[in-house]
């Protein structure tokens, strides 16, 4: 948690000023005057570093004191230098035949302060990974650390690089810290994080939650279903599964417990639903922008191909929630305890306008950065129009108008500061990811890793995918989702596309989906832990429940690989067939997992369903058809058993 809570007022004011200045700079670059990459990215990083060292003091949980400021003040000054140096010296840097010494040393300082910012804002794991890649670049016969070459396996060995060469790679070009990851963070991601901050400050979060309750609250397991819908709506915008759990879970988890769900169940359902928000278009927790940039695919195409898989994921979670509610005999909430859909829409319909504008502008072909800029203006305009309408209908006075103006200005400044604060972690993560990208490009590590992956898997695609799952889980233990995706796709992407023939966009979507698994997979399920804190349940028990409800996170990417038409398109009959098969397969898996649908499912039928799910994933239409037929027969049998009175009374889990 940021330690600025106990900071002196002057520090809090400095954080506000820097945060607001950063947001205004980003809005200027997004909607008024676009900047070149060697202006936009360094200036953005400079702001982020200054903000990071202000928010996260070296003393962490206590005021800095003299010693703390003796450490942090030079770091803050260095952060400002990082933002200034490349834009101010771009001509000299570009025209230099060999790097100037001063540029090399500023590059060294840049890498060091980025790693220190990572340690403070993200954690030690990301910092150690970045540092390890730097050490790896120095290893080799011609590097700064030649003795390390003897410790590297043959395939990982390389010539080694000097400090001057590495500093140039990382900070004087577009292949290192100022490369694609930071470029995406400094343009698309920031403006949409700011958009989310404006929605949060103006009350859109409560509107979406109330709307979800009004739509589903009276159904069986209503609060749990509301959690699924609300998390789908807010998760894509929030950019963080944990933030989504904290936001929507504060409302949904207590109501789920009140309805009869066990605390661990309630926390796990919210964690699984919130994790799904990161794969939900249009924003996908900023992942859509990264995938678009890496694959050179138009952003709107990434959004369109991601809609159906995301719907499948939430459909699977929704079905598991429904089955659990029926199995436990849970009912919905009483009508008097729920908001009315009509009242919710009358009160907050204006929050839908920015989302409609966002989608319309994307479809119209505007750049994502310009779309984000106009979406923010739409939020401001709709909130202002709503406030003025209320003011006009409640007896306007000059004093009331002045108070309204002050309140509006306060909200505006709060949103600008909040957006900047929320962007610190992801921008720092992208800067460290740039170090990794730069070293991989310099040493050819990506191709070497692909060769290792091919050797270990023996050319077996399923085994290779299993290795990707393990790697994503290990990386996710210490990295944010965005960083885990970037690192993993750099290392395994070439193998998946070139050696195993997986289409580029499918490979990126698969890696991106599996990069989310650390949110819901024990032993370190970060979203599950957040849900446990709200539910008052055991972290591990809650994480197991989250892992169970989020099974689509593993299965749907597999279906993308073995049934590419649901992502890449193809003949309409084949696309429809694949869509039908995956819906049946996910339904069957949910039923096999819970042992219940319309009635209890006998063990032999559950085993048959698991075998049929495997068949449905097989890359053969004939085998898929057999699997689909078995699933349909078992589900029909279960329905008939329920109608015939064989279902018995609902059971407790």
């Amino acid at each position: 948690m940021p330690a600025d809570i106990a900071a002196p007022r002057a520090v809090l004011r400095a954080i506000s000023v820097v945060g607001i200045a950063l947001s205004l700079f980003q809005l200027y670059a997004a909607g008024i005057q676009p900047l070149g990459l060697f202006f936009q990215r360094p200036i953005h990083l400079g702001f982020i570093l200054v903000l990071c060292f202000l928010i996260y003091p070296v003393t962490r949980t206590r005021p800095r004191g003299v010693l703390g400021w003796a450490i942090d003040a030079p770091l803050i000054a260095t952060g400002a230098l990082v933002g200034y140096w490349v834009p101010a010296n771009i001509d000299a840097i570009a025209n230099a035949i060999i790097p100037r010494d001063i540029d090399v040393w500023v590059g060294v300082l840049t890498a060091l302060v980025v790693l220190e910012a990572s340690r403070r804002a993200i954690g030690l794991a990301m910092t150690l990974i970045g540092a390890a890649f730097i050490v790896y670049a120095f290893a080799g016969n011609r590097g700064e650390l030649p003795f390390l070459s003897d410790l590297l396996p043959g395939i990982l060995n390389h010539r080694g690089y000097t400090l001057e060469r590495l500093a140039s790679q990382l900070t004087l070009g577009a292949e290192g810290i100022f490369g694609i990851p930071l470029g995406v963070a400094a343009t698309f991601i920031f403006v949409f994080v700011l958009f989310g901050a404006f929605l949060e400050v103006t009350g859109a979060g409560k509107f979406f939650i109330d709307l979800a309750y009004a739509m589903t609250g009276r159904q069986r397991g209503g609060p749990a279903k509301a959690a699924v819908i609300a998390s789908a709506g807010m998760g894509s915008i929030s950019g963080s599964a944990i933030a989504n759990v904290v936001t929507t879970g504060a409302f949904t988890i207590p109501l789920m417990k009140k309805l009869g769900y066990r605390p661990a169940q309630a926390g796990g359902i919210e964690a699984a639903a919130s994790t799904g928000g990161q794969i939900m278009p249009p924003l996908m927790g900023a992942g859509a922008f990264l995938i678009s940039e890496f694959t050179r695919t138009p952003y709107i195409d990434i959004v369109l191909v991601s809609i159906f898989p995301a719907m499948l994921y939430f459909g699977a979670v929704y079905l598991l929630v429904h089955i659990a509610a029926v199995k436990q005999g849970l009912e919905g909430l009483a009508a008097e305890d729920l908001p009315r859909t009509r009242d919710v829409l009358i009160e907050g319909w204006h929050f839908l306008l920015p989302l409609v504008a966002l989608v319309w502008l994307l479809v119209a072909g505007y750049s994502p950065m310009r779309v984000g800029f106009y979406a923010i203006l739409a939020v401001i305009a709709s909130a202002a129009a709503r406030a003025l309408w209320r003011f006009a209908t409640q007896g306007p006075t000059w004093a009331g108008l002045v108070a309204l103006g002050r309140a509006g200005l306060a909200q505006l400044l709060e949103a600008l500061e909040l957006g900047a604060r929320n962007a610190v972690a992801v921008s720092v993560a992208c800067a460290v990811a740039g170090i990794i990208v730069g070293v991989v490009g310099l040493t050819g590590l990506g191709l070497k890793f692909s060769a290792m992956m091919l050797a270990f898997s023996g050319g077996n695609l399923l085994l290779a995918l299993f290795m990707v799952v393990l790697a994503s889980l290990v990386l996710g233990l210490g990295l944010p989702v965005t960083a885990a995706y970037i690192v993993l796709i750099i290392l395994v992407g070439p193998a998946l596309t070139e050696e195993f023939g997986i289409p580029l966009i499918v490979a990126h979507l698969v890696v991106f989906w599996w990069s989310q698994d650390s949110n819901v997979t024990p032993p370190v399920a970060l979203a599950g832990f957040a849900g446990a804190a709200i539910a008052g349940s055991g972290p591990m028990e809650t994480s197991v429940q989250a892992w169970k409800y989020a099974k689509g996170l593993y299965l749907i990417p597999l279906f993308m690989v073995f049934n590419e038409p649901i992502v890449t398109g193809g003949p309409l009959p084949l696309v429809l067939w694949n869509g039908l098969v995956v819906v049946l397969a996910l339904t069957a898996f949910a039923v096999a997992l819970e042992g219940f649908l319309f009635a209890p499912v006998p063990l032999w039928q559950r085993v048959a369903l698991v075998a049929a799910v495997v068949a449905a994933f097989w890359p053969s239409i004939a085998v898929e058809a057999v699997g689909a037929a078995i699933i349909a027969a078992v589900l029909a049998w279960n329905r008939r058993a329920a109608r015939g009175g064989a279902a018995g009374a609902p059971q407790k889990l």
Side-chain angles (χ1 to χ4, degrees):
M1 178 180 293
D4 64 278
I5 296 172
R9 182 174 299 179
V11 175
L12 297 178
R13 189 168 297 168
I15 292 171
S16 297
V17 170
V18 174
I20 292 168
L22 170 57
S23 293
L24 291 176
F25 163 74
Q26 295 287 159
L27 288 173
Y28 173 81
I32 299 174
Q33 180 59 59
L35 301 174
L37 68 89
F38 288 114
F39 289 87
Q40 175 84 28
R41 298 175 188 181
I43 294 173
H44 172 84
L45 180 60
F47 270 118
I48 288 292
L49 291 173
V50 171
L51 198 57
C52 177
F53 293 127
L54 284 171
I55 294 174
Y56 301 94
V58 68
T59 49
R60 300 297 293 178
T61 57
R62 62 183 186 275
R64 285 180 173 88
V66 175
L67 180 60
W69 277 113
I71 296 172
D72 284 354
L75 289 173
I76 292 170
T78 305
L81 176 66
V82 168
Y84 164 82
W85 189 258
V86 172
N89 295 274
I90 186 63
D91 291 334
I93 292 172
N95 294 327
I97 298 175
I98 59 173
R100 302 180 302 170
D101 289 344
I102 185 65
D103 295 329
V104 170
W105 287 111
V106 171
V108 171
L109 287 175
T110 300
L112 291 175
V113 294
V114 164
L115 290 175
E116 173 59 12
S118 169
R119 186 189 69 81
R120 298 191 189 191
I122 304 171
L124 191 59
M126 184 72 176
T127 308
L128 291 177
I129 290 174
F133 273 84
I134 290 175
V135 171
Y136 176 71
F138 286 145
N141 296 328
R142 301 182 187 177
E144 301 286 351
L145 304 171
F147 61 90
L148 289 180
S149 63
D150 296 333
L151 303 178
L152 296 174
I155 193 172
L156 292 180
N157 215 332
H158 61 93
R159 56 177 292 183
Y161 296 91
T162 63
L163 179 66
E164 179 183 273
R165 181 70 181 89
L166 181 61
S168 301
Q169 173 80 359
L170 295 185
T171 61
L172 298 182
E175 297 180 352
I177 291 174
F178 301 129
I180 287 177
L182 184 65
V184 175
T187 52
F188 310 139
I189 292 178
F190 187 96
V191 76
F192 279 96
V193 168
L194 189 58
F195 173 62
F198 271 93
L199 285 177
E200 181 179 337
V201 167
T202 54
K206 185 177 185 305
F207 165 72
F208 286 118
I209 292 170
D210 287 346
L211 187 61
Y213 273 118
M215 293 169 58
T216 63
R218 277 173 283 189
Q219 300 177 18
R220 284 187 161 186
K225 294 174 180 176
V228 175
I229 294 174
S231 295
M234 288 303 295
S236 178
I237 296 170
S238 73
S240 166
I242 299 171
N244 199 7
V245 170
V246 174
T247 303
T248 59
F251 296 91
T252 59
I253 290 175
L255 281 174
M256 280 191 267
K257 290 169 63 178
K258 179 181 177 182
L259 188 66
Y261 285 99
R262 292 184 290 108
Q265 251 187 320
I269 289 169
E270 179 58 52
S274 294
T275 298
Q278 307 303 286
I279 55 177
M280 185 69 181
L283 305 187
M284 299 165 62
F289 304 120
L290 287 165
I291 297 173
S292 172
E293 198 71 16
F294 277 126
T295 61
R296 299 298 179 187
T297 303
Y299 171 77
I300 188 63
D301 291 350
I302 301 296
V303 169
L304 291 175
V305 301
S306 299
I307 291 174
F308 183 58
M311 291 175 62
L312 289 174
Y313 176 84
F314 279 103
V317 178
Y318 194 94
L319 180 60
L320 282 166
V321 164
H322 176 75
I323 292 173
V326 174
K327 189 176 178 183
Q328 294 178 253
L330 304 180
E331 300 296 334
L333 297 173
E336 56 270 18
D337 295 332
L338 293 169
R340 295 173 58 196
T341 304
R342 183 169 177 268
D343 294 339
V344 173
L345 288 173
I346 289 174
E347 181 66 22
W349 62 270
H350 59 288
F351 291 120
L352 298 175
L353 296 179
L355 299 181
V356 172
L358 186 151
V359 174
W360 181 80
L361 289 168
L362 285 174
V363 173
Y366 285 79
S367 72
M369 193 162 66
R370 188 58 61 91
V371 168
F373 175 77
Y374 288 133
I376 290 171
L377 293 185
V379 175
I380 296 171
S382 61
R386 182 66 172 172
L388 288 172
W389 172 258
R390 289 177 178 171
F391 171 74
T393 57
Q394 293 174 359
T397 63
W398 280 112
L401 185 60
V402 171
L404 181 64
R406 287 177 176 172
L409 179 61
Q411 275 196 332
L412 176 65
L413 296 178
E414 181 186 355
L416 291 171
E417 180 186 347
L418 180 63
R421 282 174 172 263
N422 289 346
V424 168
V426 67
S427 290
V428 170
C430 286
V432 179
I435 293 176
I436 297 168
V437 172
V439 172
V440 168
L442 190 64
T443 61
L445 181 61
L447 296 177
K448 296 175 181 178
F449 197 90
S450 296
M452 291 170 56
M453 183 176 172
L454 188 64
F456 288 149
S457 65
N460 184 289
L461 176 57
L462 193 60
L463 185 57
L465 292 173
F466 179 69
M467 292 170 62
V468 175
V469 171
L470 289 181
S472 70
L473 183 58
V474 172
L475 285 174
L477 298 181
L479 302 186
V481 166
T482 303
Y485 158 69
I486 294 171
V487 173
L488 199 57
I489 198 62
I490 291 168
L491 294 178
V492 307
L496 294 178
T497 55
E498 296 169 15
E499 305 296 341
F500 293 100
I502 298 175
L504 182 64
I505 193 169
V506 173
H508 277 260
L509 283 173
V510 166
V511 171
F512 180 71
W513 274 57
W514 281 340
S515 296
Q516 317 287 331
D517 63 355
S518 61
N519 283 316
V520 292
T521 305
V524 180
L526 301 180
F529 292 170
I534 298 173
S537 55
M540 289 308 298
E541 185 185 3
T542 305
S543 300
V544 169
Q545 290 294 320
W547 183 67
K548 181 179 83 170
Y549 284 103
K551 275 295 170 289
L553 201 63
Y554 297 94
L555 295 179
I556 295 170
L558 279 177
F559 202 85
M560 292 183 200
V561 171
F562 293 111
N563 299 270
E564 298 166 6
I566 68 169
V567 173
T568 58
L572 183 60
L574 185 60
V575 173
L576 294 175
W577 166 252
N578 279 282
L580 174 64
V581 169
V582 72
V583 170
L584 281 173
L586 289 173
T587 302
F589 191 82
V591 172
L593 200 62
E594 287 287 351
F596 198 96
L597 183 58
F598 306 107
V601 180
L603 180 61
W604 70 270
Q605 290 185 7
R606 296 171 73 175
V607 173
L609 285 174
V610 171
V613 169
V614 174
F617 278 66
W618 209 263
S620 164
I621 292 181
V623 178
E624 287 177 354
V626 172
I630 293 173
I631 292 170
V634 172
L635 298 184
W637 189 315
N638 185 260
R639 179 64 173 168
R640 183 178 179 184
R643 286 180 173 175
Q651 304 174 15
K652 291 283 183 183
L653 283 179

